[in-house]
């Protein structure tokens, strides 16, 4: 686990389900060497748990705020958590 590894839990709301948001997140994570997962929640939000370098996580967060072309992100809650290094890949859960 690198010393600059950071972990974030994100809750994105708006038009984020049924618009390929999870697959967009997965693609962005792969390009930025970020591990973790993304899933739809019953309340219509998407939850993302991600770990990576501080610089890459910041870029990832900016991309998640934008979302894919059909998405509309109305709310974006980022919670920082202690990094664990438990993930080796990023997956759609």
């Amino acid at each position: 686990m690198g010393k600059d590894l950071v972990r974030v839990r994100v809750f994105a709301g708006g038009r984020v389900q049924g618009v390929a948001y999870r697959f967009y997140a997965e693609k962005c994570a792969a390009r930025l060497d970020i591990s973790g997962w993304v899933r739809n929640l019953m309340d219509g939000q998407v939850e993302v748990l991600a770990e990576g370098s501080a610089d890459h996580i910041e870029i990832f967060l900016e991309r998640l705020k934008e979302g894919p072309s059909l998405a509309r992100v109305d709310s974006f809650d980022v919670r920082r958590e202690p990094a664990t290094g438990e993930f080796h890949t990023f997956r759609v859960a």
Side-chain angles (χ1 to χ4, degrees):
M1 183 166 59
K3 64 181 178 182
D4 73 335
L5 189 68
V6 297
R7 179 177 181 136
V8 292
R9 185 179 302 268
V10 177
F11 296 91
R15 190 171 62 228
V16 292
Q17 290 190 13
V19 293
Y21 190 91
R22 291 175 299 158
F23 299 100
Y24 171 84
E26 182 181 40
K27 192 163 95 173
C28 291
R31 289 182 179 155
L32 293 165
D33 195 28
I34 288 173
S35 59
W37 49 258
V38 57
R39 66 180 176 188
N40 284 339
L41 297 178
M42 294 298 292
D43 65 2
Q45 294 187 94
V46 170
E47 180 182 10
V48 180
L49 184 62
E51 289 190 350
S53 71
D55 291 347
H56 286 185
I57 287 290
E58 291 310 312
I59 295 166
F60 186 56
L61 290 174
E62 289 303 314
R63 298 222 173 115
L64 290 179
K65 283 180 197 173
E66 295 170 15
S69 60
L70 295 175
R72 187 189 70 244
V73 180
D74 295 330
S75 62
F76 197 77
D77 179 24
V78 179
R79 302 172 188 179
R80 304 214 176 246
E81 301 178 356
T84 64
E86 69 188 276
F87 305 113
H88 301 290
T89 61
F90 191 93
R91 65 183 177 86
V92 174

